[in-house]
Amino acid sequence: MKIRYLLFAIAGLTLAGGAFGQAGKTGGKPLLKAVNGSEQVNSLADAVISGAGGTPGAGLDLTGILSMDMIGDPDNIIVDLNIGAGNQMTGVSWDAGIMTVGASWLSEADVTFSDSTGATTDPNAINLTIGVGEDMPGDMDFTSGGVVVDFSDNMLPNIVAGADGILRLEFSDSFDDNPDAADANWRNAAAVQLVAGLGIACTNQAACDAAVGGGGPGGPPLPPPPSVPALNTLGLAALALLLMLGTFLVLRRRA
């Protein structure tokens, strides 16, 4: 009888731990925001779209890209594009999909653009959340509607590549449901209106197209192999205890 009560308590503790983690989610993130907090664009409907945004000819292939942990975490996937010294990223477009893992939300998968100093150091870094408003787990495609969202039109800074010519993309997740494991899987959208994956608009568009499409020495490196989603610490402890109790009961019955 006591063992049965203990099993109920463990199950309740596991459920409570999961509910507590979910309670920390807030939602309401913008589509685009300057990491320094100066400006943001709440949604695609709120963005200023002009004909001067550009039309990138190549898209960054998102196959195998994961959102792992929060911005700046060493587990995150980093893609360095050699777009040429002084070249500027001026806007972005997307025809991309996201499939979340476990309790992670579509609106938590992010990509941040910066120079080679990184998303938390470059004062002009810009964060993109294509799943804005989808505060739930799921599997969904997203599109910028066949247009480029221009940064300057929306009071956001251009991303300027330094002397090394690197434009850095960091894929992260704003709420870490699965520490040190994938929270979301990125892909190219099934239907393409402008680009397959992420389109990068630049002052020197040819250089960006070559880097994004892998057509030159600046092509992006392959991402690391996908990680197996991990259980949280509380879940692992509860599972281990349940296994120990099950073994004890079996041995006791045989005795």
Side-chain angles (χ1 to χ4, degrees):
M1 182 68 69
K2 291 181 179 179
I3 291 176
R4 185 174 67 183
Y5 289 153
L6 180 58
L7 291 175
F8 285 149
I10 292 171
L13 184 61
T14 303
L15 291 173
F20 178 79
Q22 294 301 300
K25 295 174 178 281
T26 57
K29 289 171 57 182
L31 172 70
L32 284 161
K33 69 174 182 179
V35 173
N36 64 17
S38 60
E39 296 290 342
Q40 67 179 43
V41 179
N42 291 325
S43 68
L44 188 60
D46 295 330
V48 175
I49 304 296
S50 72
T55 53
L60 175 66
D61 185 1
L62 298 175
T63 304
I65 297 290
L66 306 174
S67 279
M68 297 283 288
D69 298 329
M70 297 182 71
I71 192 170
D73 191 282
D75 289 331
N76 290 340
I77 287 179
I78 302 292
V79 176
D80 284 339
L81 302 174
N82 189 345
I83 64 173
N87 196 3
Q88 301 182 33
M89 179 182 176
T90 60
V92 65
S93 59
W94 59 93
D95 289 311
I98 295 173
M99 181 178 67
T100 61
V101 177
S104 189
W105 288 354
L106 291 160
S107 61
E108 292 167 353
D110 299 325
V111 56
T112 305
F113 308 98
S114 70
D115 63 19
S116 61
T117 61
T120 59
T121 304
D122 182 2
N124 293 328
I126 293 175
N127 180 268
L128 170 66
T129 305
I130 65 171
V132 57
E134 300 296 337
D135 298 333
M136 66 190 79
D139 185 352
M140 193 177 299
D141 282 358
F142 302 92
T143 180
S144 60
V147 299
V148 175
V149 181
D150 186 79
F151 292 157
S152 61
D153 284 349
N154 291 278
M155 306 301 292
L156 291 165
N158 290 344
I159 310 296
V160 183
D164 57 8
I166 296 298
L167 172 68
R168 175 160 295 172
L169 283 68
E170 177 178 348
F171 292 83
S172 62
D173 203 87
S174 60
F175 190 97
D176 196 359
D177 292 275
N178 306 302
D180 302 325
D183 275 30
N185 301 271
W186 291 72
R187 64 172 182 274
N188 304 330
V192 175
Q193 296 193 39
L194 184 61
V195 293
L198 284 176
I200 311 297
C202 300
T203 50
N204 182 345
Q205 191 61 56
C208 281
D209 285 349
V212 169
L222 293 175
S227 298
V228 177
L231 293 173
N232 58 42
T233 304
L234 181 59
L236 286 172
L239 180 59
L241 188 54
L242 284 171
L243 290 173
M244 292 172 63
L245 284 171
T247 303
F248 172 78
L249 290 173
V250 171
L251 294 175
R252 181 179 179 182
R253 176 170 292 183
R254 288 180 177 177

